[in-house]
Amino acid sequence: GVVSCFAVYDGYTYAVKINPDGTFPWGEQGVQLFGGLGFSRAEVIATDNGGIWALGFDYTNLYLQYINETAGPVITISDNTGLKCMFGKLTLGNDNKVFVTYEKLGSGMYTNKSIYVAGYNTDGTQFSPETQLMAEQTFQSTYIHSAISDGMGGGYVYIFHPAFYNFNVYVFHFDQNGNTTIMDPNGVPVHSPDSNNLYISASATVDPVSHDIILVYEQTDDANQVQCKIYVNRVTSYGEVLWGDGILVLDNGTIPCGGYNIDAFEFGDGFVVTYFKGIGQAAGSMAT
């Protein structure tokens, strides 16, 4: 079946499930999520037993809920020091458990941000305590992290920001128990410090055999941000960067490029990178 989550005009969020035969096992009006808390949108991830995990927010707290035949308890993720918990991402753990990665931040365009992970069972209990992945850094609140399952019950987190030098992409990892396995709280950068260039706009996949994360990202010059080079790099779950400063996929000179994406082949025998390759300023093409 398929599950759709959406907010209605009054701000409440609902989940509707439709079976292949067109029936609605959760009713045609769906199930109201988060007990009426949260609004606007929901992160959703399917479990292996016909249920889903859904994650909502209200710009201060995150709200997590498991739904199968019935809706489970609402889990509130908050901070008692006045920081906001936002930008949550879901990765599926073992036995339909879920990990939530999220950012704690203050107010304003530039703010202190840190990244945490916590794990939950379908009955609403917490099996993995809140663990800090990224130490607090100060940068623009609009730069947010991404998360991806490692295929072993844990996951990777990656984010690009300028906290230490110029912009770089930093990688973190947690195992099936929610423990961080990359000991540097600042993460592992995909490129050595470089005062002349920025490394931004990362997308990632995970090798299904080695369980390394493979990232594609752009190198652009710091001075004018008109240069476009696309690189890939591979990082293990323990933070070893296997391809040095990355492998060059495309050198597009000063012609724009973007839309980077990467996906690993099913049996670990390679990956594909897709991107937009500009032709002048007004036209372009997709390339692989």
Side-chain angles (χ1 to χ4, degrees), residues 50-250:
I52 65 162
W53 284 98
L55 184 70
F57 72 102
D58 60 9
Y59 296 106
T60 301
N61 306 310
L62 293 164
Y63 302 102
L64 177 69
Q65 192 167 26
Y66 174 74
I67 305 98
N68 202 330
E69 285 84 5
T70 58
V74 178
I75 301 161
T76 301
I77 300 173
S78 61
D79 179 79
N80 59 11
T81 67
L83 296 175
K84 297 183 285 186
C85 292
M86 292 181 62
F87 308 128
K89 307 292 182 183
L90 300 177
T91 55
L92 198 62
N94 294 328
D95 302 319
N96 296 310
K97 301 174 182 179
V98 75
F99 285 103
V100 185
T101 60
Y102 52 96
E103 301 177 20
K104 291 187 179 183
L105 65 160
S107 300
M109 179 60 71
Y110 285 86
T111 184
N112 292 343
K113 297 181 68 172
S114 50
I115 300 177
Y116 289 80
V117 61
Y120 297 89
N121 297 305
T122 56
D123 63 2
T125 57
Q126 189 170 346
F127 75 89
S128 170
E130 179 182 79
T131 300
Q132 189 174 39
L133 294 177
M134 187 186 81
E136 189 175 84
Q137 314 294 341
T138 301
F139 57 97
Q140 285 176 271
S141 61
T142 51
Y143 297 119
I144 64 176
H145 78 282
S146 298
I148 186 172
S149 171
D150 65 2
M152 301 183 292
Y156 289 94
V157 165
Y158 57 98
I159 186 171
F160 61 95
H161 66 78
F164 308 110
Y165 217 89
N166 287 12
F167 268 96
N168 212 328
V169 179
Y170 298 91
V171 178
F172 307 82
H173 178 265
F174 57 91
D175 65 17
Q176 62 183 352
N177 298 311
N179 300 314
T180 181
T181 64
I182 294 178
M183 295 301 104
D184 190 337
N186 297 320
V188 175
V190 298
H191 195 281
S192 56
D194 182 351
S195 61
N196 296 316
N197 295 291
L198 313 179
Y199 300 90
I200 59 174
S201 304
S203 178
T205 188
V206 170
D207 187 303
V209 175
S210 69
H211 302 286
D212 302 335
I213 187 173
I214 309 173
L215 303 105
V216 59
Y217 51 92
E218 179 185 354
Q219 179 197 73
T220 189
D221 63 295
D222 182 39
N224 301 300
Q225 298 183 29
V226 294
Q227 167 190 281
C228 180
K229 295 182 179 180
I230 299 177
Y231 282 84
V232 293
N233 214 331
R234 180 187 289 260
V235 180
T236 72
S237 60
Y238 291 94
E240 184 181 2
V241 182
L242 298 180
W243 292 341
D245 280 338
I247 298 172
L248 181 65
V249 173
L250 170 73

